[in-house]
Each structure stands twice: as C-alpha cells, then as structure tokens.
Amino acid sequence: DWMVETRDLSELDVVEVEVGQRVSVTPDALPELQLSGFVQSIDRVFTERSGDITYTVHIRLDDVDPALRWGMTVTVTFE
C-alpha cells in the first residue's frame, strides 16, 4: 500500500481535516498525474518547526502509477 505523509499542516489547518476525508495527490515530478486517496490518520502530537506548530497527516492512496517512486514530493488537496 502506498502512503503519503504531509507534515506541514498548521494548527489552524488541521482542525479542518478529518479521518476518512478524500484527497487528491499530485506528484511534483509528474504534474499530469492525479491520484486519489483518503486521510487514514492524524497525529495527535504536534511538531514545532521554526516556531510553528504542525501536525502530520497520513494519507492512504487508492491507486498508484508505475512512474511513482518512494520519496517523491507531492501536492495534497483536501476535498
């Protein structure tokens, strides 16, 4: 199974996200590719980065593409 982690949701943004919420994921290296998925979990513990409070959201992808590689950066759009 393919997972995406987004680690930059601020405390203001994370309250708008919920488990099960649908997302679309676009790899930066493959801008023509759009994948779908859903929020599997949201960390309850925050991380402080440069003075900002952020949370990690774990996304499970529904589908994959052979061109996709582990470690690629992606843009996540929460629906």
Side-chain angles (χ1 to χ4, degrees):
D1 291 336
W2 284 79
M3 296 287 296
V4 171
E5 287 184 355
T6 179
R7 298 179 184 149
D8 60 355
L9 284 178
S10 74
E11 60 189 310
L12 300 175
D13 295 328
V14 77
V15 295
E16 301 295 326
V17 175
E18 56 189 48
V19 172
Q21 186 172 346
R22 301 299 305 172
V23 301
S24 60
V25 175
T26 305
D28 293 348
L30 304 164
E32 71 285 350
L33 179 62
Q34 187 172 8
L35 303 167
S36 62
F38 63 94
V39 174
Q40 184 172 23
S41 64
I42 303 167
D43 284 358
R44 295 181 96 26
V45 178
F46 69 92
T47 301
E48 187 173 344
R49 292 198 173 130
S50 302
D52 293 328
I53 300 298
T54 61
Y55 294 84
T56 300
V57 174
H58 306 272
I59 297 165
R60 181 168 302 280
L61 295 180
D62 296 328
D63 48 357
V64 295
D65 187 278
L68 195 61
R69 302 284 184 262
W70 286 106
M72 287 185 163
T73 56
V74 298
T75 299
V76 176
T77 304
F78 294 90
E79 299 174 4

